Every structure is written in structure tokens, then in C-alpha cells.
Amino acid sequence: MPQMDPKGEPEETIRPSIGGDDGGGGATILALTICSAAIGGTFQYGYNISIINAPTSYIQTFINDTYMERWGYGLESSQLTLMWTIIVSTFSLGGLIGALLAGPLSVRFGRKNSLLLNNGFLFAGAVLVLTSRVAKSFEMIIFARFLVGINSGVSMNIQPMYFGESAPKHLRGAVAFSSAVFTAFGIFLGQVVGLTEVLGAQHLWPYLLASNALPGLIQLLTLPWFPESPRYLLIDRGDKDACVKALGRLRGGIAPILEVEEMLEEQEQQKTAALNSGSSANKTPWTLFKDASLRSQLRTVMAASSAMMLCGNDSIYFYAYYMFLAAGIPPQKIQYITIGTGASEFTASILSNLLIERVGRRYLLIGGYSLMSFWSVVFTVALNLQSRGVAGMAYLSMACVFAYILSFGLGPAGVSGILPAEIFDQSARPAAYMVAGSCMWVSLFLVGMLFPFIVKGLGDFCFLPFFVVCVTSAVFLGITLPETKGKTLAEITADFDGRNGKQKEYSDVEIDEPMKEQYQLGKAASLTNLMLDPDSNPDLESIQPQVNV
């Protein structure tokens, strides 16, 4: 017999449900969704950063031979360096275009479908690379890297949105941080694949650069089986039935009524705000800049995203060969040393995932940049002593590079990417990621273009510009960024207003304490908890009202 609500109507869709197999199944679906989305998402960003390093000399030889065949003379050393820098930096230009496309794509096609469509850029780039040697055209490599950059720019913005909107709030921080874990894993695996014994031999470099099509194919075959973001389905498309169905799959067959009600409330708030402003519910980058109430949040996200690239960490992967050669490492050993850099960031990202809910976002960022500042000074001293013939300095320089990467992985690598999801609401989130992504890719382009010339111009002092960036970032973020761990969006906004000398009143809705704790932003567990049975997780209620699917 169906239950009756207070008005006497049947209430067949609401019943209490005891946690157990349902929750475990939901955790499994969520974990598989994360793996499927990430293998063709942020994994590709890390993978494509690292695979370009191994064939450096082979591609330069190809460029010079092609130029010789066309014009009868080869390129000078400086011209060849410039051409190589263009190939490397074109990836960043593509990333900028991808970041600008990500917002409209995510709204028009949805988070999941945008990731699937995004693989088209990847496959086109793979075809260009595979045919470039037969066509005797190094320009095809440049265009291929541009397309791969677009793919990375789109995925770097849409994947964190997809994860943050699909995960339950008690796992949101860990799930969002998994983007950084997969980026680091991509870097590491790209370095392994780039070994001479695998695909790093001279005759195999086109296959190495085209190997990024395989993860894209895996995503194309697996991601369609998993649900779209429930928040997108309800708030952007207004399809409540599809939202409940998707949420039910992600939660093990039943959709928690508290989550549905929370999304409905946010949907109504956005409709009201859109009616009052007379504009679309979804904000654009321009409206974000015009909105004074969001200016401090936007400024903080822009600074964090820019610093993430201006600190020079990713330049180590682009130009690892040159850096270790300058540090005195024998050329034949460099490919094995570079694997250690990827392993360092991968290890640090996992450790940071375990620390993020204990230490907090703010302290991980400040601590990471502070440690990077210290190691850049030690690295500069080591390079100067090495140039004066002091024994053992080459290995100290190498140790500093590893320590620098570890420090980056502990904080800035993962925390910077989840900030837009935590401090902006559903309507502003795509635009915020567009702005943050644009800052990130422009900064990466500038560093990629300038770093070889910085090395040549400053020599042993080449890391001092990065020291300035790290110190400035630690100070600025320490002043402007409040801690977001365990806080609601209203509380985070109030913290930003307080730091800017504003006083804004927020209506306090009375919520039961267990419910409030469960649904706070950033109330996260580590990735290792994803596969645990809900009964073993003290943050989950064993009995809670649910909506049948």
C-alpha cells in the first residue's frame, strides 16, 4: 500500500532506503565514470605534454632535412630552436582555443557529449602526424599539435565540471582532485612510452605522437555507457526525469531526495536571478567581469590559473632534455631520468589527494609555492657552483628539479583546477572555467616560447623568474584566498566579501546538522574511499529518504 503525504495524496516515489549494495553499486558507477572521462580528458593533457620531449632531436632532424630538400640549405641552430619552440607552443595556442570553446560546448551539448565530441580533434591530429613524414611536411606536425591542444583545452575545463556535478558532496573534493591525478599519470605514462625501447626510437616518432588516439578511442567506446551530469540535466536542460535517472545510476539505483531538492532550489534561484537581470541564466566571461560581487573570486581564480603555468613546472617536461643536459647528466641517461619527474608528480598528486581535507586548499597552495620558491633558489646556487667545477652539483641540480615537481604536485597542480567549481555557482561555472583556462593556456604559451631564450640569456640564473612568480603567488593567494574546505558557497562568498571589506547578509536556512555536514561544499574523502561500502563510511547515513528511479 502506498504511503500518504500530509495532504492525503499517494507518495509512491518517496521511501526510506537502507544503505548497502545500492550505495556500493553507485560508487562503482561513479569510479568507472571518472576513469572513462579522465582517460580521454586530463590524462591526455599530461600525456601530450610529455611525449613531445622524447623525439625532440628526431623531429628537429626531420625539420632540417625537409628544409634542405625544399630550399637546398639547412636551418641555423637558432632557427631550428625557434621552429621547435613553435611546435611546442602551438599546443598552448590550441589549448587557449579549446578553453574558449569549452564553455559553449558544455552548455550546448552537455558535459559528457562534449568530451566525446572532443576526440575528433585528437583523431584528426593523429592522422596528420602519421602522414607528415610521407608528405615531407613539418607544418602538418605544427597543425597536429594545435588540434591536440584544442582537445586538451576542452577537456581541462569540462572534465572538472563533469566530475564536480556528478559526485556526491561528501566525495566532491576527492573526485575533482582526481583530474590532477590523471594528469600526472598521463605525464608518467607518456614518458614510459617515449623510451627508446618502446616508441622512442627514431623511426617510430610519428607513432609516438599519434599514440594519444588510443586513450581517446577507449573513452569513445566506454563513456557513452555512463550518465550525464545530473545538475546539467536539471538546471541547464530542465529535464527532471533525466536528472533523477542519471542521479539514481550514480547513487546505486536510487536518487537521494535531498540532492534533487537542492538542485531544484538552485534552479529556481537561477531563474529568479535571470528574470531580475533580464539576461540569460548562464553567465558569460564578460558578465563575470562586470559582476562586482564576483570580481574578487574571479581575480583569485585568474591568479591561481596563471601562476600554475608561469611557475615553470610544465616547461620542465617540454624541455627536460635540455635541462638535464645542462645539469651535466649524460645524454644516454636522460630519458630514464625524465621518467622520475613524472613519477614524482604522480606520487605527489596522490599524496595531496589524501591531505586536501586535512590541510585544506589554501595551505596546500601557499605551502606548495613556498617550497617551490625555496627549491628554485637551491637550484640556482647548484647551477652556479656546477659551472665553477664543484663536484656533485649536477646531481644536486637534478634533485632540485625533482623536489620542485613534488612541491608543485602537492598543492598547485590539483587545487588550482578545483577552485572554479568550489567558489562559483552552476550558472557562472562554465564561464569561470573559460576565463581560468584562458589564463592558464596563455601563460603556458608565454613560458613555452620564452623558456629556451631565458635559459640562453640567463644561463645559471634561468630559474629566478620562476622564483619571483612562486613568491608572488604564495603572498597574493595567502592574502586573497579564504579556506573553502567544509564550507557552503554562501559561506565562501561571505569570506571573499569580508576580505574585501564588504558586509553582506546571507539568510540562514535552518538545516539539521547531519544533513548540513553531508551537503557542504568540499566535504570530501580520499579517492580510496570511492569503492568502499557506504556502511563502512561514517559520513554516510545508513538510512535516508530517497526517490525511486
Side-chain angles (χ1 to χ4, degrees):
M1 181 176 178
Q3 296 180 5
M4 307 294 290
D5 68 6
K7 296 180 181 180
E9 299 292 333
E11 201 171 60
E12 296 178 353
T13 59
I14 301 176
R15 66 176 176 85
S17 176
I18 299 176
D21 294 338
D22 287 341
T28 302
I29 293 294
L30 179 60
L32 292 175
T33 302
I34 290 169
C35 292
S36 178
I39 197 67
T42 54
F43 172 88
Q44 289 282 17
Y45 169 70
Y47 189 78
N48 286 295
I49 278 181
S50 61
I51 60 172
I52 196 65
N53 181 64
T56 297
S57 58
Y58 306 144
I59 296 177
Q60 288 181 343
T61 300
F62 171 70
I63 293 172
N64 200 44
D65 291 347
T66 303
Y67 205 85
M68 177 76 75
E69 189 173 335
R70 287 182 187 177
W71 308 105
Y73 59 90
L75 294 169
E76 298 178 2
S77 177
S78 60
Q79 293 174 320
L80 197 57
T81 301
L82 178 60
M83 191 63 66
W84 176 248
T85 304
I86 291 173
I87 290 176
V88 170
S89 300
T90 300
F91 176 75
S92 306
L93 287 178
L96 174 61
I97 300 300
L100 295 175
L101 288 174
L105 281 175
S106 66
V107 174
R108 175 68 179 83
F109 298 104
R111 285 39 164 167
K112 184 183 79 170
N113 289 334
S114 295
L115 290 174
L116 291 171
L117 292 172
N118 191 34
N119 288 297
F121 298 111
L122 201 68
F123 297 143
V127 171
L128 287 172
V129 168
L130 288 173
T131 55
S132 61
R133 190 161 54 182
V134 176
K136 297 181 180 180
S137 171
F138 60 83
E139 293 87 354
M140 293 173 70
I141 301 176
I142 297 175
F143 190 51
R145 290 294 291 178
F146 178 75
L147 292 175
V148 170
I150 294 178
N151 173 272
S152 296
V154 170
S155 62
M156 287 287 284
N157 279 13
I158 293 181
Q159 183 184 307
M161 277 192 281
Y162 184 35
F163 285 2
E165 294 171 9
S166 299
K169 288 193 176 181
H170 67 279
L171 289 174
R172 182 173 293 172
V175 169
F177 203 94
S178 65
S179 297
V181 175
F182 276 95
T183 299
F185 179 56
I187 291 172
F188 173 70
L189 189 60
Q191 291 168 337
V192 172
V193 174
L195 289 173
T196 306
E197 295 84 352
V198 187
L199 291 178
Q202 183 169 4
H203 65 288
L204 294 176
W205 66 261
Y207 301 99
L208 173 61
L209 294 186
S211 62
N212 54 23
L214 182 58
L217 181 61
I218 293 173
Q219 183 186 75
L220 206 60
L221 294 174
T222 58
L223 191 58
W225 299 96
F226 298 107
E228 176 60 271
S229 156
R231 301 186 82 87
Y232 166 77
L233 292 172
L234 178 63
I235 299 176
D236 290 312
R237 283 180 47 185
D239 192 340
K240 183 179 178 181
D241 292 337
C243 167
V244 171
K245 184 177 179 180
L247 192 62
R249 288 194 63 196
L250 290 167
R251 303 298 182 265
I254 46 180
I257 191 171
L258 296 177
E259 288 195 59
V260 176
E261 289 179 345
E262 181 198 18
M263 284 187 256
L264 286 170
E265 183 180 352
E266 184 175 347
Q267 182 188 40
E268 289 303 316
Q269 290 174 349
Q270 290 193 18
K271 286 181 180 179
T272 302
L275 287 173
N276 292 337
S277 62
S279 60
S280 172
N282 288 302
K283 291 183 170 63
T284 64
W286 177 242
T287 57
L288 282 187
F289 282 107
K290 291 171 61 178
D291 192 340
S293 64
L294 296 176
R295 201 162 292 156
S296 55
Q297 289 93 318
L298 191 62
R299 185 167 56 242
T300 300
V301 165
M302 290 174 65
S305 300
S306 300
M308 183 180 174
M309 296 303 170
L310 292 176
C311 70
N313 183 79
D314 287 342
S315 297
I316 294 175
Y317 298 114
F318 281 141
Y319 302 103
Y321 180 86
Y322 294 121
M323 292 188 64
F324 288 126
L325 194 64
I329 307 300
Q332 64 273 17
K333 295 183 179 179
I334 288 179
Q335 63 173 336
Y336 303 104
I337 299 296
T338 54
I339 291 179
T341 61
S344 296
E345 185 167 341
F346 185 43
T347 302
S349 64
I350 295 175
L351 178 60
S352 184
N353 181 264
L354 299 174
L355 291 175
I356 189 169
E357 291 306 320
R358 294 177 178 272
V359 180
R361 283 72 157 151
R362 182 170 178 267
Y363 288 111
L364 281 179
L365 274 176
I366 298 171
Y369 281 122
S370 299
L371 286 173
M372 292 166 72
S373 303
F374 171 76
W375 290 117
S376 61
V377 171
V378 177
F379 185 59
T380 301
V381 172
L383 286 177
N384 276 272
L385 293 177
Q386 179 185 336
S387 64
R388 298 180 185 181
V390 178
M393 288 299 104
Y395 295 97
L396 177 59
S397 300
M398 184 176 65
C400 288
V401 170
F402 286 131
Y404 195 84
I405 292 173
L406 277 168
S407 303
F408 177 79
L410 279 174
V415 177
S416 302
I418 67 176
L419 284 180
E422 290 205 330
I423 65 178
F424 290 96
D425 63 17
Q426 182 83 4
S427 64
R429 199 171 293 135
Y433 268 108
M434 287 174 66
V435 174
S438 299
C439 292
M440 185 188 78
W441 288 103
V442 168
S443 300
L444 182 61
F445 173 76
L446 291 175
V447 174
M449 285 292 293
L450 296 176
F451 187 68
F453 302 100
I454 291 174
V455 172
K456 287 186 177 181
L458 296 181
D460 297 341
F461 298 95
C462 63
F463 253 63
L464 286 184
F466 301 136
F467 166 76
V468 174
V469 170
C470 291
V471 170
T472 304
S473 301
V475 173
F476 179 81
L477 293 173
I479 294 173
T480 63
L481 179 65
E483 181 53 63
T484 60
K485 175 175 71 77
K487 293 182 179 179
T488 64
L489 184 61
E491 291 170 334
I492 294 170
T493 304
D495 285 343
F496 271 106
D497 290 340
R499 287 170 179 267
N500 289 281
K502 299 177 184 177
Q503 295 296 329
K504 189 171 182 178
E505 297 295 331
Y506 294 91
S507 60
D508 294 331
V509 179
E510 302 223 350
I511 303 175
D512 293 339
E513 285 304 314
M515 185 191 306
K516 184 177 179 181
E517 289 181 7
Q518 181 176 345
Y519 285 89
Q520 280 181 326
L521 273 173
K523 183 75 175 176
S526 69
L527 282 174
T528 54
N529 288 338
L530 272 176
M531 303 301 298
L532 292 179
D533 188 283
D535 291 335
S536 66
N537 191 337
D539 289 334
L540 294 178
E541 299 290 336
S542 60
I543 300 177
Q544 58 179 347
Q546 308 287 338
V547 177
N548 291 337
V549 178

